[in-house]
Amino acid sequence: MNVPRYGHIVVLSGAGLSAESGLSTFRDNGGLWDNHRVEDVATPEAYARNPDLVQRFYNERRAKLSSVQPNAAHTALGRLQREFEGQVTLVTQNVDDLLERGGARDVIHMHGELLKVRCTACNTVHGWREDCTEATRCPACGVAPGLRPDIVWFGEMPYHLDRIYAALGDCDLFLSVGTSGNVYPAAGFVAEVRRAGYAHTIEINLEPSAGVSYFAEHRHGKAGEIVPELVEQLLKGEAS
Ligand code: OAD
């Protein structure tokens, strides 16, 4: 039997992980930020100015989510987390639930989750699958309007950073999958790992990301093809 070469793998994922499932990325041609201005739908100011538009944007994305399925990269990462003998920390910028549906047990959603809303009056977070409007009452405190998508918008602090930085400082393999490396702090995680000194770093992306030079190894192509191959190697103890 092969001995796993790594003890703690951290995987950072972005929209490219879910692209082959049919969810739009943000910055590719025809991506979400081609059709919507960030300032109109993904900032606290946008929500204050035009809450109906913001709710509609996330309602559409929530509805779309129920029509797509995890792809081979999601299921491979789920399998890695379940079967790898060491620790696997899955950190995602994605707000979909495709890693969970692909079999992952514990996913750190640093930019929040589409299937949750948060009450700005009582701060309760609710699981949510329906549309949400300014008329929707909070099931906990009854206030409306007040329920907002539990999404981290530009200008807001990402979730779970303590847990993420602890994992970055502890890992011996860091994988980045399907992210353009444009949005901090996630774009800076690879530099953080390199500062700690000893972890191997691999970028998996359709094309070189903005941070490609920080990675020791690159595998460029579709996540749905490259990730399952790499997971197979990691589970056999064969990866570089
Ligand atoms: P981007 O849209 O910026 O980048 C997606 C990356 O995935 C691009 O570099 C693509 O080349 C790559 N890609 C596309 N299809 C792929 C495939 N099949 N296999 C592998 N790679 C593929 O998305 P993110 O980097 O995730 O934040 O964006 C980061 C954050 O910016 C998002 O979480 C969101 C956005 O604004 C918030 O909304 C707060």
Side-chain angles (χ1 to χ4, degrees):
M1 195 177 123
N2 285 308
V3 178
R5 173 148 176 214
Y6 300 106
H8 184 177
I9 302 171
V10 173
V11 184
L12 168 69
S13 54
L17 175 67
S18 298
E20 288 160 73
S21 293
L23 294 181
S24 299
T25 61
F26 294 93
R27 293 174 184 79
D28 293 310
N29 275 341
L32 287 167
W33 295 158
D34 264 0
N35 301 317
H36 305 268
R37 289 182 347 131
V38 171
E39 302 81 3
D40 290 339
V41 294
T43 63
E45 294 77 14
Y47 181 59
R49 209 168 40 238
N50 193 343
D52 292 331
L53 175 70
V54 174
Q55 295 280 17
R56 241 187 351 262
F57 176 72
Y58 289 101
N59 285 342
E60 279 166 20
R61 296 184 62 206
R62 199 177 296 119
K64 171 83 183 163
L65 192 50
S66 59
S67 71
V68 302
Q69 301 299 328
N71 64 50
H74 296 110
T75 52
L77 291 174
R79 180 173 167 227
L80 183 68
Q81 194 174 52
R82 291 192 318 277
E83 296 181 14
F84 186 67
E85 284 184 34
Q87 191 180 345
V88 176
T89 303
L90 298 178
V91 181
T92 190
Q93 298 167 90
N94 297 345
V95 296
D96 63 56
D97 64 344
L98 294 177
L99 276 168
E100 287 89 342
R101 284 201 259 150
R105 287 179 310 212
D106 180 18
V107 182
I108 302 178
H109 283 275
M110 62 180 292
H111 289 167
E113 294 175 68
L114 260 183
L115 297 181
K116 289 183 179 168
V117 295
R118 179 158 52 79
C119 178
T120 52
C122 72
N123 222 24
T124 308
V125 173
H126 303 278
W128 209 264
R129 293 191 172 267
E130 311 299 320
D131 282 357
C132 186
T133 71
E134 289 301 275
T136 313
R137 292 191 180 282
C138 170
C141 71
V143 167
L147 288 181
R148 59 162 275 183
D150 194 22
I151 301 286
V152 175
W153 287 325
F154 285 88
E156 296 182 323
M157 189 63 89
Y159 293 156
H160 312 298
L161 288 181
D162 288 353
R163 197 176 158 206
I164 294 170
Y165 281 106
L168 295 174
D170 180 62
C171 70
D172 47 11
L173 175 63
F174 176 75
L175 305 179
S176 173
V177 180
T179 176
S180 62
N182 279 295
V183 175
Y184 284 81
F189 289 171
V190 61
E192 187 68 24
V193 167
R194 304 264 328 214
R195 230 189 327 272
Y198 60 95
H200 186 46
T201 52
I202 308 178
E203 167 168 291
I204 296 170
N205 207 46
L206 211 48
E207 60 201 358
S209 76
V212 66
S213 59
Y214 285 99
F215 290 87
E217 187 182 336
H218 317 114
R219 300 189 184 190
H220 291 138
K222 289 185 173 178
E225 291 164 11
I226 298 174
V227 173
E229 244 170 56
L230 176 60
V231 164
E232 200 63 46
Q233 291 169 344
L234 288 167
L235 289 174
K236 287 185 180 152
E238 290 173 356
S240 55

